[in-house]
Amino acid sequence: MNSYIIITDSSCDMSPDILFKWGIECIDLKFRKKNEPGIYSNRDMPVSEFYDAMRNGTVFQTSTINPDEYKKAYRDILDHGCDVLYLCFSSGLSATYGSAESAAKELAAEYPQRKIHVFDSLCASAGQGLLLYYAAKKRDAGATMDELITYASEIAPKICHWFTVDDLKYLKRGGRISATEAFAATVLDIKPVMHMNDLGKLEAVSKVRGRKQAIKALYENYQLLASNPEDGVYFISHGDCRDDAVLLENMIEQRYGHKAGYIGDIGSVIGSHSGPGTLALFFIGRNR
């Protein structure tokens, strides 16, 4: 039995069944409806209901977990005599890392014989999930926690995150693009092709005309950047647009002969900022 436990957060957008299979524990990040008191996690609201609400005008907001919640999650592991390795949502998109790190430092004196390491994945959605997939395989092969941290430091900067969105109003609302850009893109049916850069932040790379061209651009980036496209593992996540996810998978399968390692929903925490119709592709590249 390993002397450390890998934990993550729900921004990884992997199903609870998959995380259980991999032996990874998950902390639920939270979201709420704007100007309403209720607090939700991905488990509290079906993703189809969430995206339907967005389409009908509901505005969702996210919030960072406070350090006390992290301390409880850490203690549940530490009290069983295990160390903690937390593979965390990108610090380039959220204050989650800072809150988790603060909690770890506060517990260091209380558990001097144990280790709590918060690893800034600089990843999100199923890109974070892809890191977890490789981390679980490395752990199961016998890697110590220090060896796994070194491995994660090597592989995380190579996890490519490519995505497109169907409606730019959600990126506008989050300050990712200007109102003028969003209006012009809507009128001209322009779709952005974006990626996550080396700092774990979103970055627009190109613009194409129409949804089909945007999906094709994701496929072309796989062709161009994947370090091992013939044998590599790739994940796809989507904001309630599974048909588009399958279309993207078919493009890759027809060229390289293998299906996605995982196709799943973009959960409510990420989806609050990207909106319905978001499509994302994740794979190991030579670099990002």
Side-chain angles (χ1 to χ4, degrees), residues 135-151:
K137 289 174 67 71
K138 191 74 171 179
R139 177 206 59 204
D140 293 346
T144 66
M145 188 164 114
D146 287 342
E147 289 170 340
L148 185 48
I149 292 168
T150 299
Y151 175 71

Side-chain angles (χ1 to χ4, degrees), residues 54-186:
M54 289 193 82
R55 292 185 180 102
N56 290 325
T58 299
V59 176
F60 289 97
Q61 298 175 321
T62 56
S63 58
T64 303
I65 295 176
N66 68 56
D68 286 340
E69 292 181 77
Y70 277 117
K71 284 190 283 186
K72 181 183 183 306
Y74 297 157
R75 281 197 178 97
D76 288 343
I77 295 170
L78 300 170
D79 288 342
H80 284 85
C82 294
D83 296 333
V84 177
L85 174 56
Y86 178 21
L87 300 180
C88 181
F89 185 22
S90 173
S91 64
L93 295 177
S94 169
T96 298
Y97 173 76
S99 185
E101 180 74 357
S102 175
K105 289 178 179 178
E106 289 181 35
L107 287 183
E110 188 176 337
Y111 294 89
Q113 303 304 314
R114 301 260 61 89
K115 295 180 181 178
I116 311 170
H117 186 91
V118 182
F119 180 85
D120 183 1
S121 72
L122 301 178
C123 296
S125 191
Q128 187 176 338
L130 190 58
L131 176 62
L132 295 167
Y133 165 80
Y134 284 108
K137 289 174 67 71
K138 191 74 171 179
R139 177 206 59 204
D140 293 346
T144 66
M145 188 164 114
D146 287 342
E147 289 170 340
L148 185 48
I149 292 168
T150 299
Y151 175 71
S153 299
E154 294 169 351
I155 196 171
K158 298 178 181 179
I159 297 179
C160 297
H161 299 56
W162 286 91
F163 70 100
T164 187
V165 299
D166 196 42
D167 191 329
L168 281 86
K169 70 181 179 183
Y170 304 104
L171 293 178
K172 176 183 71 68
R173 185 180 295 154
R176 304 297 180 186
I177 62 172
S178 70
T180 301
E181 288 175 308
F183 176 77
T186 300

Side-chain angles (χ1 to χ4, degrees), residues 219-226 256 283 286:
Y219 162 71
E220 290 172 343
N221 277 301
Y222 181 82
Q223 285 186 301
L224 180 66
L225 299 171
Y256 297 106
F283 55 91
R286 292 175 289 278

